[in-house]
Amino acid sequence: METNDPHLTPKKNGPWRRRLLYAAGTLAVLGLLTAGYCYYAGLFGDNFREVSPGKCYRSGQMSAAHLATHIRESGIKCVINMRGGSANDPWHAAEERTCKEAGCVYLSLSLTLGRLVSPNDLSALVAQIDAGPYPILLHCKSGSDRAGLASVLYRVLKENQPLDEALSSQLSMRFGHMPVGDGTSVDELFKLYKQTSNGLDLRTWIRDVYPGKYQELYPHLKRFATQPSDSH
């Protein structure tokens, strides 16, 4: 017998409503967690961080205006861009112009992700870290992977910090670095050093051993070739 009384009509959609509410709640929590992590890792901004007080900084890509502000406020005298690019790229041209106007040294390198950094680019990075002038800014696109690699090199080569300490402090989720995807090529570089250094310090290994290891791994690439820029 049918009835029009709403209090007596079975609520057939009850289970579906509960499932939808549960799914919506789960998505909301995941969204909040993701947003919280991005904020924690500096991925909402330019990820500008201090590596060594008054000496070394790291960041992701930023606007020319923000770069000029950081150069002025932190007294930065050298900017190393690890994204590559050229004068044909508006962001690169603006960045280079900003550094020139500020009297700041500017070096542009194409450090690859997805495979190991070429010996040529790695040696150029080490040379500029050695030369400065300081304070220095190390930046890539997000400030997570290549900026982390350069920050580790700075800590080890300039401040004599043990490699494992430098890795734990500079290559971490705190800066957005994750042990997945193309960014793992940065971790693989230091893993290769540990496996093949035979007691050599990192600087000597980069100069004397790494080119040969790189050629063994990538025989189809020129030994010291600078790799094409990418947009990671």
Side-chain angles (χ1 to χ4, degrees), residues 152-207:
V152 169
L153 291 178
Y154 168 82
R155 282 286 187 90
V156 173
L157 302 181
K158 297 295 288 186
E159 298 195 343
N160 299 312
Q161 186 175 49
L163 177 59
D164 285 340
E165 290 182 21
L167 288 170
S168 64
S169 67
Q170 299 302 315
L171 270 180
S172 72
M173 292 177 63
R174 179 69 182 88
F175 302 99
H177 176 71
M178 303 285 283
V180 294
D182 288 346
T184 56
S185 60
V186 174
D187 303 278
E188 290 300 318
L189 172 67
F190 295 109
K191 182 179 179 180
L192 181 63
Y193 164 70
K194 291 181 178 182
Q195 293 173 339
T196 63
S197 64
N198 294 317
L200 290 176
D201 63 272
L202 183 57
R203 183 191 301 277
T204 303
W205 180 83
I206 289 173
R207 185 190 65 211

Side-chain angles (χ1 to χ4, degrees), residues 121-165:
D121 282 336
L122 188 59
S123 295
L125 176 58
V126 169
Q128 196 67 53
I129 288 174
D130 282 340
Y134 284 84
I136 194 170
L137 171 65
L138 311 163
H139 95 75
C140 55
K141 183 177 182 180
S142 66
S144 304
D145 304 314
R146 289 168 289 190
L149 183 157
S151 298
V152 169
L153 291 178
Y154 168 82
R155 282 286 187 90
V156 173
L157 302 181
K158 297 295 288 186
E159 298 195 343
N160 299 312
Q161 186 175 49
L163 177 59
D164 285 340
E165 290 182 21

Side-chain angles (χ1 to χ4, degrees), residues 108-112 115 118 120-121 222 224-229:
S108 181
L109 297 172
S110 298
L111 269 64
T112 53
R115 67 168 178 262
S118 73
N120 185 64
D121 282 336
K222 283 188 176 182
F224 293 104
T226 300
Q227 304 303 328
S229 64

Side-chain angles (χ1 to χ4, degrees), residues 74-148:
S74 300
I76 293 168
K77 293 182 172 62
C78 177
V79 174
I80 302 178
N81 155 44
M82 289 166 283
R83 288 189 63 193
S86 70
N88 294 323
D89 299 307
W91 66 267
H92 187 281
E95 187 169 281
E96 190 170 18
R97 182 173 61 253
T98 298
C99 289
K100 183 177 181 180
E101 291 172 352
C104 191
V105 173
Y106 182 70
L107 176 66
S108 181
L109 297 172
S110 298
L111 269 64
T112 53
L113 287 179
R115 67 168 178 262
L116 297 180
V117 176
S118 73
N120 185 64
D121 282 336
L122 188 59
S123 295
L125 176 58
V126 169
Q128 196 67 53
I129 288 174
D130 282 340
Y134 284 84
I136 194 170
L137 171 65
L138 311 163
H139 95 75
C140 55
K141 183 177 182 180
S142 66
S144 304
D145 304 314
R146 289 168 289 190

